[in-house]
mmCIF file of all heavy atoms in Angstrom:
data_model
loop_
_atom_site.group_PDB
_atom_site.id
_atom_site.type_symbol
_atom_site.label_atom_id
_atom_site.label_comp_id
_atom_site.label_asym_id
_atom_site.label_seq_id
_atom_site.Cartn_x
_atom_site.Cartn_y
_atom_site.Cartn_z
ATOM 1 N N GLU A 193 -64.742 -71.533 -9.132
ATOM 2 C CA GLU A 193 -64.710 -72.658 -10.067
ATOM 3 C C GLU A 193 -64.889 -73.987 -9.351
ATOM 4 O O GLU A 193 -65.597 -74.881 -9.842
ATOM 5 C CB GLU A 193 -63.390 -72.652 -10.833
ATOM 6 C CG GLU A 193 -63.293 -73.783 -11.862
ATOM 7 C CD GLU A 193 -61.998 -73.752 -12.646
ATOM 8 O OE1 GLU A 193 -61.230 -72.767 -12.489
ATOM 9 O OE2 GLU A 193 -61.744 -74.703 -13.414
ATOM 10 N N ALA A 194 -64.275 -74.138 -8.180
ATOM 11 C CA ALA A 194 -64.351 -75.405 -7.456
ATOM 12 C C ALA A 194 -65.788 -75.731 -7.064
ATOM 13 O O ALA A 194 -66.243 -76.877 -7.223
ATOM 14 C CB ALA A 194 -63.474 -75.346 -6.210
ATOM 15 N N VAL A 195 -66.512 -74.751 -6.572
ATOM 16 C CA VAL A 195 -67.892 -74.980 -6.143
ATOM 17 C C VAL A 195 -68.812 -75.162 -7.345
ATOM 18 O O VAL A 195 -69.647 -76.077 -7.375
ATOM 19 C CB VAL A 195 -68.380 -73.824 -5.244
ATOM 20 C CG1 VAL A 195 -69.879 -73.942 -4.974
ATOM 21 C CG2 VAL A 195 -67.610 -73.810 -3.927
ATOM 22 N N VAL A 196 -68.666 -74.309 -8.337
ATOM 23 C CA VAL A 196 -69.519 -74.398 -9.529
ATOM 24 C C VAL A 196 -69.313 -75.729 -10.246
ATOM 25 O O VAL A 196 -70.285 -76.386 -10.663
ATOM 26 C CB VAL A 196 -69.239 -73.219 -10.473
ATOM 27 C CG1 VAL A 196 -69.959 -73.432 -11.811
ATOM 28 C CG2 VAL A 196 -69.691 -71.907 -9.841
ATOM 29 N N SER A 197 -68.070 -76.167 -10.357
ATOM 30 C CA SER A 197 -67.778 -77.433 -11.048
ATOM 31 C C SER A 197 -68.409 -78.613 -10.322
ATOM 32 O O SER A 197 -68.991 -79.512 -10.945
ATOM 33 C CB SER A 197 -66.267 -77.642 -11.155
ATOM 34 O OG SER A 197 -65.681 -76.666 -11.973
ATOM 35 N N ALA A 198 -68.302 -78.618 -8.981
ATOM 36 C CA ALA A 198 -68.907 -79.704 -8.201
ATOM 37 C C ALA A 198 -70.422 -79.688 -8.348
ATOM 38 O O ALA A 198 -71.055 -80.740 -8.490
ATOM 39 C CB ALA A 198 -68.500 -79.584 -6.736
ATOM 40 N N ALA A 199 -71.008 -78.502 -8.329
ATOM 41 C CA ALA A 199 -72.455 -78.388 -8.461
ATOM 42 C C ALA A 199 -72.924 -78.907 -9.816
ATOM 43 O O ALA A 199 -73.904 -79.672 -9.902
ATOM 44 C CB ALA A 199 -72.874 -76.932 -8.276
ATOM 45 N N GLU A 200 -72.230 -78.511 -10.869
ATOM 46 C CA GLU A 200 -72.616 -78.952 -12.213
ATOM 47 C C GLU A 200 -72.449 -80.450 -12.379
ATOM 48 O O GLU A 200 -73.282 -81.116 -13.004
ATOM 49 C CB GLU A 200 -71.782 -78.205 -13.254
ATOM 50 C CG GLU A 200 -72.124 -76.711 -13.333
ATOM 51 C CD GLU A 200 -71.251 -75.967 -14.328
ATOM 52 O OE1 GLU A 200 -70.224 -76.548 -14.766
ATOM 53 O OE2 GLU A 200 -71.592 -74.814 -14.673
ATOM 54 N N ALA A 201 -71.395 -81.007 -11.792
ATOM 55 C CA ALA A 201 -71.133 -82.437 -11.927
ATOM 56 C C ALA A 201 -72.219 -83.284 -11.277
ATOM 57 O O ALA A 201 -72.497 -84.409 -11.724
ATOM 58 C CB ALA A 201 -69.778 -82.777 -11.311
ATOM 59 N N HIS A 202 -72.843 -82.757 -10.243
ATOM 60 C CA HIS A 202 -73.861 -83.526 -9.521
ATOM 61 C C HIS A 202 -75.279 -82.988 -9.728
ATOM 62 O O HIS A 202 -76.212 -83.446 -9.075
ATOM 63 C CB HIS A 202 -73.523 -83.530 -8.027
ATOM 64 C CG HIS A 202 -72.239 -84.231 -7.704
ATOM 65 N ND1 HIS A 202 -72.166 -85.588 -7.473
ATOM 66 C CD2 HIS A 202 -70.961 -83.759 -7.613
ATOM 67 C CE1 HIS A 202 -70.901 -85.930 -7.224
ATOM 68 N NE2 HIS A 202 -70.159 -84.831 -7.307
ATOM 69 N N ILE A 204 -76.614 -80.124 -8.916
ATOM 70 C CA ILE A 204 -77.120 -79.500 -7.696
ATOM 71 C C ILE A 204 -76.754 -78.023 -7.707
ATOM 72 O O ILE A 204 -76.036 -77.549 -8.597
ATOM 73 C CB ILE A 204 -76.534 -80.174 -6.430
ATOM 74 C CG1 ILE A 204 -74.996 -80.143 -6.468
ATOM 75 C CG2 ILE A 204 -77.035 -81.614 -6.310
ATOM 76 C CD1 ILE A 204 -74.331 -80.749 -5.241
ATOM 77 N N ALA A 209 -73.647 -77.899 -3.027
ATOM 78 C CA ALA A 209 -72.285 -78.429 -3.145
ATOM 79 C C ALA A 209 -71.467 -78.112 -1.903
ATOM 80 O O ALA A 209 -70.693 -78.942 -1.411
ATOM 81 C CB ALA A 209 -71.600 -77.860 -4.390
ATOM 82 N N ALA A 212 -72.618 -80.370 0.907
ATOM 83 C CA ALA A 212 -72.076 -81.709 0.684
ATOM 84 C C ALA A 212 -70.603 -81.762 1.072
ATOM 85 O O ALA A 212 -70.113 -82.769 1.596
ATOM 86 C CB ALA A 212 -72.252 -82.103 -0.782
ATOM 87 N N TRP A 213 -69.884 -80.666 0.826
ATOM 88 C CA TRP A 213 -68.471 -80.578 1.231
ATOM 89 C C TRP A 213 -68.343 -80.668 2.744
ATOM 90 O O TRP A 213 -67.451 -81.343 3.268
ATOM 91 C CB TRP A 213 -67.884 -79.262 0.710
ATOM 92 C CG TRP A 213 -66.528 -78.931 1.239
ATOM 93 C CD1 TRP A 213 -65.324 -79.345 0.751
ATOM 94 C CD2 TRP A 213 -66.238 -78.090 2.377
ATOM 95 N NE1 TRP A 213 -64.294 -78.830 1.512
ATOM 96 C CE2 TRP A 213 -64.832 -78.060 2.506
ATOM 97 C CE3 TRP A 213 -67.023 -77.369 3.266
ATOM 98 C CZ2 TRP A 213 -64.202 -77.324 3.523
ATOM 99 C CZ3 TRP A 213 -66.402 -76.644 4.275
ATOM 100 C CH2 TRP A 213 -65.008 -76.635 4.387
ATOM 101 N N ALA A 216 -68.547 -84.151 3.725
ATOM 102 C CA ALA A 216 -67.370 -84.885 3.265
ATOM 103 C C ALA A 216 -66.177 -84.694 4.194
ATOM 104 O O ALA A 216 -65.349 -85.600 4.348
ATOM 105 C CB ALA A 216 -67.000 -84.453 1.843
ATOM 106 N N VAL A 240 -75.458 -86.046 -0.915
ATOM 107 C CA VAL A 240 -74.612 -86.029 -2.115
ATOM 108 C C VAL A 240 -73.187 -86.427 -1.754
ATOM 109 O O VAL A 240 -72.614 -85.938 -0.770
ATOM 110 C CB VAL A 240 -74.617 -84.635 -2.768
ATOM 111 C CG1 VAL A 240 -73.646 -84.590 -3.950
ATOM 112 C CG2 VAL A 240 -76.027 -84.267 -3.210
ATOM 113 N N GLN A 241 -72.604 -87.323 -2.545
ATOM 114 C CA GLN A 241 -71.238 -87.774 -2.314
ATOM 115 C C GLN A 241 -70.299 -87.091 -3.313
ATOM 116 O O GLN A 241 -70.257 -87.443 -4.485
ATOM 117 C CB GLN A 241 -71.152 -89.300 -2.490
ATOM 118 C CG GLN A 241 -72.029 -90.085 -1.535
ATOM 119 C CD GLN A 241 -71.519 -90.039 -0.114
ATOM 120 O OE1 GLN A 241 -70.310 -90.124 0.130
ATOM 121 N NE2 GLN A 241 -72.430 -89.921 0.838
ATOM 122 N N LEU A 242 -69.558 -86.099 -2.853
ATOM 123 C CA LEU A 242 -68.572 -85.465 -3.712
ATOM 124 C C LEU A 242 -67.367 -86.392 -3.898
ATOM 125 O O LEU A 242 -67.084 -87.227 -3.040
ATOM 126 C CB LEU A 242 -68.091 -84.142 -3.095
ATOM 127 C CG LEU A 242 -69.140 -83.057 -2.853
ATOM 128 C CD1 LEU A 242 -68.470 -81.810 -2.289
ATOM 129 C CD2 LEU A 242 -69.916 -82.724 -4.118
ATOM 130 N N THR A 243 -66.680 -86.225 -5.004
ATOM 131 C CA THR A 243 -65.465 -87.016 -5.217
ATOM 132 C C THR A 243 -64.326 -86.437 -4.381
ATOM 133 O O THR A 243 -64.359 -85.257 -4.004
ATOM 134 C CB THR A 243 -65.048 -87.004 -6.693
ATOM 135 O OG1 THR A 243 -64.615 -85.668 -7.043
ATOM 136 C CG2 THR A 243 -66.204 -87.412 -7.607
ATOM 137 N N PRO A 244 -63.310 -87.238 -4.075
ATOM 138 C CA PRO A 244 -62.147 -86.712 -3.343
ATOM 139 C C PRO A 244 -61.535 -85.486 -4.019
ATOM 140 O O PRO A 244 -61.103 -84.547 -3.344
ATOM 141 C CB PRO A 244 -61.179 -87.895 -3.317
ATOM 142 C CG PRO A 244 -62.075 -89.100 -3.351
ATOM 143 C CD PRO A 244 -63.198 -88.703 -4.268
ATOM 144 N N ALA A 245 -61.502 -85.493 -5.341
ATOM 145 C CA ALA A 245 -60.927 -84.363 -6.067
ATOM 146 C C ALA A 245 -61.770 -83.110 -5.883
ATOM 147 O O ALA A 245 -61.234 -81.998 -5.750
ATOM 148 C CB ALA A 245 -60.810 -84.697 -7.556
ATOM 149 N N GLU A 246 -63.085 -83.259 -5.869
ATOM 150 C CA GLU A 246 -63.973 -82.110 -5.673
ATOM 151 C C GLU A 246 -63.821 -81.546 -4.260
ATOM 152 O O GLU A 246 -63.773 -80.332 -4.061
ATOM 153 C CB GLU A 246 -65.421 -82.531 -5.934
ATOM 154 C CG GLU A 246 -65.716 -82.795 -7.406
ATOM 155 C CD GLU A 246 -67.007 -83.560 -7.637
ATOM 156 O OE1 GLU A 246 -67.555 -84.135 -6.669
ATOM 157 O OE2 GLU A 246 -67.478 -83.588 -8.791
ATOM 158 N N VAL A 247 -63.723 -82.439 -3.276
ATOM 159 C CA VAL A 247 -63.521 -82.001 -1.893
ATOM 160 C C VAL A 247 -62.200 -81.256 -1.769
ATOM 161 O O VAL A 247 -62.118 -80.193 -1.138
ATOM 162 C CB VAL A 247 -63.554 -83.203 -0.932
ATOM 163 C CG1 VAL A 247 -63.221 -82.756 0.499
ATOM 164 C CG2 VAL A 247 -64.920 -83.877 -0.959
ATOM 165 N N GLU A 248 -61.165 -81.804 -2.385
ATOM 166 C CA GLU A 248 -59.841 -81.178 -2.320
ATOM 167 C C GLU A 248 -59.848 -79.802 -2.975
ATOM 168 O O GLU A 248 -59.240 -78.853 -2.467
ATOM 169 C CB GLU A 248 -58.805 -82.079 -3.000
ATOM 170 C CG GLU A 248 -57.394 -81.554 -2.929
ATOM 171 C CD GLU A 248 -56.388 -82.488 -3.569
ATOM 172 O OE1 GLU A 248 -56.781 -83.603 -3.976
ATOM 173 O OE2 GLU A 248 -55.195 -82.106 -3.656
ATOM 174 N N ALA A 249 -60.540 -79.683 -4.100
ATOM 175 C CA ALA A 249 -60.585 -78.402 -4.811
ATOM 176 C C ALA A 249 -61.302 -77.337 -3.984
ATOM 177 O O ALA A 249 -60.857 -76.185 -3.904
ATOM 178 C CB ALA A 249 -61.264 -78.584 -6.164
ATOM 179 N N ILE A 250 -62.407 -77.702 -3.352
ATOM 180 C CA ILE A 250 -63.126 -76.736 -2.523
ATOM 181 C C ILE A 250 -62.304 -76.379 -1.290
ATOM 182 O O ILE A 250 -62.247 -75.219 -0.869
ATOM 183 C CB ILE A 250 -64.516 -77.291 -2.134
ATOM 184 C CG1 ILE A 250 -65.392 -77.439 -3.384
ATOM 185 C CG2 ILE A 250 -65.196 -76.376 -1.111
ATOM 186 C CD1 ILE A 250 -66.732 -78.102 -3.134
ATOM 187 N N SER A 251 -61.622 -77.364 -0.735
ATOM 188 C CA SER A 251 -60.787 -77.119 0.442
ATOM 189 C C SER A 251 -59.579 -76.241 0.120
ATOM 190 O O SER A 251 -58.995 -75.633 1.027
ATOM 191 C CB SER A 251 -60.296 -78.444 1.034
ATOM 192 O OG SER A 251 -61.373 -79.241 1.467
ATOM 193 N N ALA A 252 -59.205 -76.171 -1.146
ATOM 194 C CA ALA A 252 -58.034 -75.401 -1.558
ATOM 195 C C ALA A 252 -58.357 -73.926 -1.817
ATOM 196 O O ALA A 252 -57.463 -73.149 -2.180
ATOM 197 C CB ALA A 252 -57.415 -76.017 -2.814
ATOM 198 N N LEU A 253 -59.612 -73.524 -1.599
ATOM 199 C CA LEU A 253 -59.979 -72.119 -1.792
ATOM 200 C C LEU A 253 -59.209 -71.237 -0.805
ATOM 201 O O LEU A 253 -58.819 -71.696 0.277
ATOM 202 C CB LEU A 253 -61.483 -71.936 -1.603
ATOM 203 C CG LEU A 253 -62.376 -72.547 -2.689
ATOM 204 C CD1 LEU A 253 -63.838 -72.479 -2.271
ATOM 205 C CD2 LEU A 253 -62.164 -71.852 -4.020
#
Side-chain angles (χ1 to χ4, degrees):
E193 181 178 353
V195 171
V196 171
S197 295
E200 291 178 347
H202 296 273
I204 56 178
W213 170 86
V240 175
Q241 299 289 319
L242 300 182
T243 68
E246 289 164 345
V247 175
E248 183 178 354
I250 294 174
S251 298
L253 290 171

